[in-house]
Amino acid sequence: MNQDNLQQQLTYSQRFSELNQLLEQSAALWQVRAFEVNALPWAEDFPQLAEAVWALADDELDGLDAEQSLLVKALSPALNHDLKALGQDWDLSLLTASIAERTVFNDKTVNDKAGVAEPSLADSTAAQQGGLSFDDEAHFSAHIKGRKWQQITAFVQHLPQLNLPVLEWCAGKGHLGRLIAKARGAEVVSLEWQAPLCEAGQAFADKWQLSQTFICADAFAIGAEHAATNTSTTTSITTSITTVEAPAQHAAKANSLIARQQAVALHACGDLHVRLLTLAAEAGTQALAISPCCYHLIHASHYQPLSNLAQQSSLKLSRHDLQLPLQQSVIANPKQQALRHQEIAWRLGFDALQRECRQIDEYLPLPSLKQSQLSGSFTDFCLWAAEIKAVNLAKNRDFEAWLEIGRQRQRLTRRIDLVAHLFRTVLEQWLILDRACFLQEQGYGVCVGEFCANSVTPRNSLILAQKMSV
């Protein structure tokens, strides 16, 4: 390991330790279930913070919540005041600090970390379109939502040129792999478990004569002989594997990852991208490019740390805790936000009603709503919820009164969430660095950055890793 690699490993592990300390110190502020409480649960220890958050007007909250720097600026003075009174010292600079080495990093950034020779860089004009001509782009981007296409092209622009075959993990219709095959001329294997998506993707690849082959397989069944010994991996997922093409069948049953390969995953959820990391480490896969997403979609009840460093942490993260990084909406328009606020007020109103009717003071979760239900009345919503949860409404039918209670509870829950959101970036960075440190422990040079603007997707982190030369 050269000196630069050692320094990078120390940098990531040191930052992880700093983030971990802050999360442990502040757990009372962010490990909270807002729907389950009737007052600010931390108000006694943080009175100035409580006063500050109640001083905010309701119509200010969404704007603050959408911009981390504004949120920190609004609440950190009161939090600092409380910390001083408590005699505690937290590093609040981490609330707005970035772990990305640079917003746009290039091939040399990663290869310097991995200790390999620098490849030639892609032509800058072609890179602007992910390596496509404008005519080709119109065909490739058809039926892909604009923001998703922006994510795909930005992701491909940040892939190092390694002249390796590519494995696209959790491929869907293979939009990412298709662009890599076309723009980079790489041989691509796209792995996806839904047969109709594989068939559609293969048809497009064949039509365009691309070197892209689909394997239809359950990502959790791949290398199942290894997964069987790992209790953190699901034991209930189907092990059925089908293929689009017969030659791909054998590859699907074994570990589809090999040493001479670059594995890529754009927004593979939860345990799916974790499975990729562990399989790649087992196979010694030469290069990885991963943008994690949906950390809460795991099979275990609590997060299973990957790196030795994270395993030493005292944090115990539930699925609810793991949703915190996702609780930032920079995409929603005003209509969507209004509907979301309406839905929460309705849910909280019914929650208060059902507690009274059942004489049980605990939250009763409801299934997802269809948006069309929000165009009806709160009364209809309560009758629907009572029916599916077998709640006898008895004489408690002053629905307007319960709706007002819901609205008041919503004012509370929004403020509880707002304070918790101070730490959402810190928690996401903790999770990303757990993955980065794990890869470093497995002998990879690692670079963490951002592949697109936050306005394109808040899940814009990119982990690039290459097996280090000896």
Side-chain angles (χ1 to χ4, degrees):
M1 180 184 295
N2 64 34
Q3 194 64 33
D4 285 345
N5 294 328
L6 178 60
Q7 182 60 45
Q8 187 61 39
Q9 187 162 344
L10 290 173
T11 298
Y12 285 151
S13 61
Q14 180 181 352
R15 176 55 68 87
F16 179 90
S17 297
E18 294 168 351
L19 295 169
N20 186 73
Q21 182 180 31
L22 178 58
L23 288 170
E24 289 178 344
Q25 291 170 324
S26 61
L29 296 178
W30 60 269
Q31 282 192 307
V32 182
R33 292 179 179 267
F35 273 35
E36 297 181 358
V37 298
N38 294 310
L40 297 175
W42 35 258
E44 184 175 347
D45 289 331
F46 299 91
Q48 293 298 316
L49 182 60
E51 183 178 334
V53 79
W54 277 119
L56 296 171
D58 290 347
D59 58 10
E60 291 183 85
L61 302 186
D62 283 338
L64 292 175
D65 198 33
E67 181 56 57
Q68 186 72 9
S69 60
L70 294 178
L71 177 59
V72 173
K73 183 178 180 181
L75 297 182
S76 59
L79 178 54
N80 267 318
H81 190 282
D82 286 329
L83 291 173
K84 185 176 181 179
L86 291 168
Q88 297 186 27
D89 183 21
W90 299 359
D91 186 358
L92 298 184
S93 68
L94 294 172
L95 298 178
T96 53
S98 172
I99 57 172
E101 292 193 32
R102 59 190 75 181
T103 301
V104 179
F105 45 12
N106 57 30
D107 298 327
K108 190 174 188 302
T109 310
V110 185
N111 289 300
D112 282 351
K113 300 294 180 287
V116 300
E118 179 187 353
S120 60
L121 299 179
D123 174 76
S124 59
T125 302
Q128 292 298 317
Q129 307 300 327
L132 292 180
S133 70
F134 288 105
D135 289 340
D136 285 348
E137 185 183 13
H139 293 287
F140 271 64
S141 62
H143 311 299
I144 305 175
K145 292 181 179 180
R147 192 170 280 116
K148 186 63 179 178
W149 179 246
Q150 287 180 273
Q151 295 167 23
I152 291 169
T153 55
F155 187 95
V156 173
Q157 288 173 32
H158 289 85
L159 292 178
Q161 296 268 21
L162 299 175
N163 298 318
L164 290 171
V166 172
L167 175 68
E168 180 190 14
W169 190 254
C170 301
K173 291 183 180 180
H175 298 311
L176 174 63
R178 184 186 309 151
L179 181 57
I180 294 172
K182 178 67 175 178
R184 298 293 180 89
E187 293 184 6
V188 177
V189 172
S190 296
L191 186 141
E192 167 58 41
W193 75 279
Q194 295 188 64
L197 299 183
C198 292
E199 292 165 1
Q202 192 66 63
F204 193 103
D206 293 344
K207 177 181 178 181
W208 280 74
Q209 299 182 327
L210 299 175
S211 55
Q212 181 183 25
T213 303
F214 278 75
I215 295 178
C216 189
D218 179 352
F220 292 103
I222 293 173
E225 65 276 11
H226 300 291
T229 62
N230 186 349
T231 57
S232 68
T233 304
T234 181
T235 57
S236 61
I237 289 189
T238 177
T239 57
S240 62
I241 301 177
T242 58
T243 59
V244 175
E245 297 184 341
Q249 185 172 4
H250 176 74
K253 292 181 178 178
N255 187 349
S256 298
L257 286 104
I258 57 176
R260 191 178 180 278
Q261 190 178 58
Q262 181 181 31
V264 300
L266 173 58
H267 295 162
C269 295
D271 276 346
L272 287 170
H273 73 255
V274 170
R275 185 73 181 130
L276 173 58
L277 292 174
T278 55
L279 286 173
E282 288 175 8
T285 300
Q286 187 171 334
L288 296 97
I290 298 176
S291 178
C293 186
C294 301
Y295 305 96
H296 63 293
L297 295 181
I298 59 176
H299 298 97
S301 61
H302 287 77
Y303 181 69
Q304 307 295 308
L306 294 170
S307 66
N308 293 332
L309 201 57
Q311 291 170 13
Q312 297 169 21
S313 171
S314 66
L315 291 176
K316 187 176 182 181
L317 302 173
S318 67
R319 294 172 185 166
H320 178 269
D321 297 331
L322 294 170
Q323 292 184 59
L324 181 61
L326 281 67
Q327 293 174 5
Q328 180 183 20
S329 178
V330 299
I331 307 301
N333 59 43
K335 182 179 179 180
Q336 290 172 321
Q337 288 180 332
L339 288 173
R340 177 59 179 158
H341 292 325
Q342 177 186 334
E343 179 182 346
I344 292 174
W346 283 16
R347 286 178 176 274
L348 288 169
F350 177 77
D351 181 57
L353 171 58
Q354 65 84 15
R355 290 178 195 236
E356 175 68 22
C357 293
R358 296 168 66 225
Q359 289 297 293
I360 300 175
D361 191 22
E362 65 180 26
Y363 179 67
L364 186 64
L366 296 172
S368 298
L369 266 67
K370 298 178 182 177
Q371 185 169 320
S372 59
Q373 288 178 266
L374 296 173
S375 62
S377 68
F378 178 65
T379 298
D380 291 338
F381 168 77
C382 288
L383 295 174
W384 166 80
E387 181 179 0
I388 63 172
K389 288 297 182 178
V391 175
N392 182 3
L393 298 181
K395 297 179 181 180
N396 296 289
R397 289 179 172 267
D398 186 355
F399 294 114
E400 283 303 313
W402 291 111
L403 178 55
E404 182 56 31
I405 291 173
R407 288 169 176 157
Q408 292 306 312
R409 285 190 66 198
Q410 183 184 34
R411 297 188 71 239
L412 170 67
T413 60
R414 290 182 71 189
R415 285 161 174 80
I416 293 173
D417 287 340
L418 195 69
V419 171
H421 292 174
L422 284 169
F423 303 93
R424 62 190 166 198
T425 300
V426 175
L427 180 56
E428 181 160 25
Q429 291 178 0
W430 187 98
L431 292 163
I432 290 168
L433 289 185
D434 179 29
R435 287 145 178 76
C437 290
F438 168 77
L439 288 170
Q440 288 179 328
E441 292 167 2
Q442 304 301 314
Y444 286 85
V446 180
C447 188
V448 176
E450 297 171 352
F451 70 94
C452 67
N454 187 265
S455 58
V456 176
T457 172
R459 307 280 75 73
N460 63 350
S461 295
L462 176 60
I463 302 171
L464 295 180
Q466 284 182 229
K467 204 69 172 171
M468 290 190 294
S469 57
V470 179

